[in-house]
Amino acid sequence: ACRTAEDARRLVETLDAECRRYRVSFAVLPGDLVHNSPEALRALGESLSGMSVPVYCAPGNHDVAAACGDAYVRNIGPRESAFSLGGCRFVFFDNADEYPPACLTPHGLVRLEGRLRNAAGPTVLVCHKPLEDPRSDGDHFMNRPSAAEMVRDLVAQTDVRLVVSGHISMFHVRKKGAATHLICGLGTAEFAVVTVTATGEPSIQRVLRKESE
């Protein structure tokens, strides 16, 4: 997470270089772009506008913290979005703050349900908090019981093939039912290059960056 404007500019410089290296169609950032800093969000928004490919973000809890006010929406974009590309539907879901009235209201959950159930084709779901924590003693996941259960059920009942999240400082991939769950929360030190076929099957390449890069 970026703490200063300079951190934000370095993040985008690194991100753009890797996007060019791997010739990706777009980049996804699953939240905690900054650490409670509206100034870093402003610099990040300005820098992202110069990227060589589109960048789509899901807000993290540190991006929408009280200290940031509405800086995320003003500088990065809407907290939820969806688009189609290559026969797949990409849905960005805001679970950064799970308790009303901040987000995850009944309307937000109904909106997510509509987007997943009405998707014309396989779906990639992107959110900040994982739906489950793979660590036996972990608690960094979507832990509002009723909402978490609903989202997990929706993933199981619809054509979601890939769930991308961050929040936890780890790289982890596992298959649950028809969906692959990718946690990628190590910033620019470690990231994933993902190819999604027209049938929704993901191929995930783990990339470790050297400190000198």
Side-chain angles (χ1 to χ4, degrees), residues 129-140:
K129 292 181 179 177
L131 305 187
E132 295 176 340
D133 191 329
R135 303 169 299 180
S136 60
D137 59 346
D139 61 358
H140 277 50

Side-chain angles (χ1 to χ4, degrees), residues 2 38 53 81 103 114 117 199:
C2 303
V53 297
S81 61
C103 70
R117 293 197 185 280
T199 59

Side-chain angles (χ1 to χ4, degrees), residues 8-84:
R9 286 188 281 270
R10 283 199 298 266
L11 168 65
V12 174
E13 183 178 301
T14 298
L15 179 63
D16 197 43
E18 297 298 343
C19 287
R20 291 175 185 274
R21 176 184 299 184
Y22 290 96
R23 300 180 181 180
V24 300
S25 299
F26 61 89
V28 169
L29 299 177
D32 279 355
L33 312 176
V34 304
H35 188 82
N36 306 344
S37 171
E39 293 79 13
L41 277 172
R42 184 164 51 251
L44 188 63
E46 292 172 354
S47 298
L48 286 174
S49 65
M51 283 281 298
S52 58
V53 297
V55 180
Y56 300 97
C57 305
N61 50 296
H62 289 294
D63 303 322
V64 295
C68 293
D70 64 350
Y72 181 90
V73 174
R74 287 189 287 107
N75 295 283
I76 305 302
R79 291 174 61 155
E80 294 184 351
S81 61
F83 64 92
S84 297

Side-chain angles (χ1 to χ4, degrees), residues 3 5 24 43 51 56 100 104 106 115 119-120 130 132 141-142 148 159 162 164 179 183 185 187 196 204:
R3 295 177 181 271
V24 300
M51 283 281 298
Y56 300 97
L104 265 194
R115 283 175 167 166
E132 295 176 340
F141 64 105
M142 191 176 172
D159 200 13
L162 176 64
V164 179
I183 300 173
V196 181
I204 300 171

